[in-house]
Amino acid sequence: MTQNTPLIVPGRPVKHPGSAAAVRTTLAHGRTRPRAVTDLLRTDADDRSPTALLDLVACAVEAAGADSGIVELGPVDLPSVSYCFPAYGDSTHPMLYSATHSSAGTLLRGTATVGFRRDSPGAPLTRWAHFHVSWTDREGTLRGGHLWPETTAAGPLVQSTVWPLYGITLVNRLDEETQLPVFFPEQNGRSTADGDRPALFARVHPNEEIGTVIADLTRRHGLEGGSVVGGTGSIVGAIFEDGRRVEGPATEVITLGGALSGTEPRLTSTLISASAEVHGGVLAPTGNLVGATYDLMLAGPQD
């Protein structure tokens, strides 16, 4: 922690540098239909050529007929991993990233929010994805991190699932409150006919209780009987149902899942700490506040 950086405690709000928006969840409505990547992309399983993981997840989303979505990642070889993990920032930005680290190994589990990036107002859109994953390195050590675009995979995503967003485009741009680039959902007016269930994508703003947000959105939008698809994002440390606490400044969520009932959901999560360790379990019903952002996708029941 650098000098003048405010202490950050799990369960307590964090002051970010910009003004807070009055509306704390930015929403877009669409449809989705989960698909196995192998059903969408008939690739040569023997092809071990290293390919940018960003390109692989973008191709999977596009093969499902969408331009944005969530990809639940399964095991795949990672010949090159470029990553960071949560870190204290400074007196202006309380939450930032560590320095960039390098590794290689086998991806275990992960989530990618797939969309586009706009570096400045009016600039063209370019492909972008927000990755949080866990992997075992070549020595067998469990690691976790936020992946950068230089990360490569060898072989097809044979155990991954795509949740395409029909009618929604995700655009990564600067957020006024945090002064960090984050994904925002936009309605794109395109057909949602390929979806077999309703979908809601919410950019959840800082300091919102993630379980409370999910319960509220489920009730207001009639998603009971559906599921939390997850998405990537951070929470202020973490508090688990069994009493374990993971200190901040932030933890980056690898997976988040649970059933939608309209009451406080029981959320199972794996996440990355500021010491790059991977933790997992059921989150406590209260005390888990969004850190910088959360890319939340909820899917209603199948029609």
Side-chain angles (χ1 to χ4, degrees):
M1 185 168 62
T2 60
Q3 189 175 9
N4 299 323
T5 300
L7 180 65
I8 297 175
V9 178
R12 296 184 188 175
V14 175
K15 179 67 173 71
H16 290 278
S19 58
V23 178
R24 305 306 294 160
T25 52
T26 304
L27 304 178
H29 300 265
R31 303 276 293 175
T32 191
R33 178 188 176 195
R35 303 282 297 276
V37 172
T38 50
D39 291 340
L40 296 167
L41 298 172
R42 300 293 183 180
T43 56
D44 182 0
D46 294 327
D47 183 3
R48 310 296 292 176
S49 303
T51 305
L53 187 59
L54 172 59
D55 292 342
L56 291 178
V57 296
C59 285
V61 168
E62 291 169 4
D67 65 28
S68 303
I70 298 292
V71 180
E72 297 175 326
L73 295 163
V76 66
D77 183 50
L78 301 176
S80 177
V81 182
S82 177
Y83 73 102
C84 63
F85 41 85
Y88 272 101
D90 50 36
S91 57
T92 302
H93 294 91
M95 296 175 172
L96 287 175
Y97 297 121
S98 72
T100 297
H101 297 262
S102 298
S103 181
T106 301
L107 190 149
L108 299 176
R109 300 183 70 188
T111 304
T113 304
V114 183
F116 299 92
R117 184 172 187 169
R118 178 173 279 128
D119 292 325
S120 61
L125 293 176
T126 56
R127 265 292 172 205
W128 194 249
H130 190 184
F131 293 100
H132 291 172
V133 312
S134 62
W135 71 95
T136 53
D137 66 17
R138 298 300 191 220
E139 288 72 44
T141 302
L142 176 63
R143 299 189 181 277
H146 170 118
L147 302 188
W148 295 120
E150 293 76 15
T151 298
T152 60
L157 304 179
V158 296
Q159 297 184 56
S160 299
T161 301
V162 180
W163 291 81
L165 286 165
Y166 301 118
I168 301 171
T169 295
L170 303 179
V171 178
N172 187 281
R173 56 182 171 81
L174 189 69
D175 171 47
E176 181 178 344
E177 181 175 355
T178 62
Q179 293 297 299
L180 296 170
V182 303
F183 272 115
F184 286 89
E186 300 178 1
Q187 304 287 167
N188 61 29
R190 298 177 194 146
S191 172
T192 61
D194 287 338
D196 66 355
R197 66 200 72 194
L200 178 70
F201 193 97
R203 185 266 158 142
V204 186
H205 295 247
N207 300 319
E208 296 301 301
E209 184 82 58
I210 189 66
T212 300
V213 168
I214 291 171
D216 180 59
L217 292 176
T218 301
R219 287 191 298 266
R220 286 197 288 124
H221 300 283
L223 300 176
E224 290 88 349
S227 60
V228 180
V229 175
T232 46
S234 62
I235 55 179
V236 183
I239 304 173
F240 287 101
E241 186 180 64
D242 59 12
R244 286 177 295 138
R245 294 169 65 91
V246 181
E247 297 303 317
T251 55
E252 296 191 320
V253 178
I254 300 171
T255 62
L256 184 73
L260 300 179
S261 66
T263 61
E264 295 292 326
R266 195 167 188 262
L267 297 172
T268 301
S269 179
T270 55
L271 45 83
I272 310 154
S273 73
S275 57
E277 296 176 324
V278 177
H279 301 262
V282 178
L283 296 178
T286 59
N288 290 297
L289 309 181
V290 171
T293 193
Y294 203 91
D295 307 331
L296 179 66
M297 181 176 173
L298 306 180
Q302 185 175 0
D303 296 338

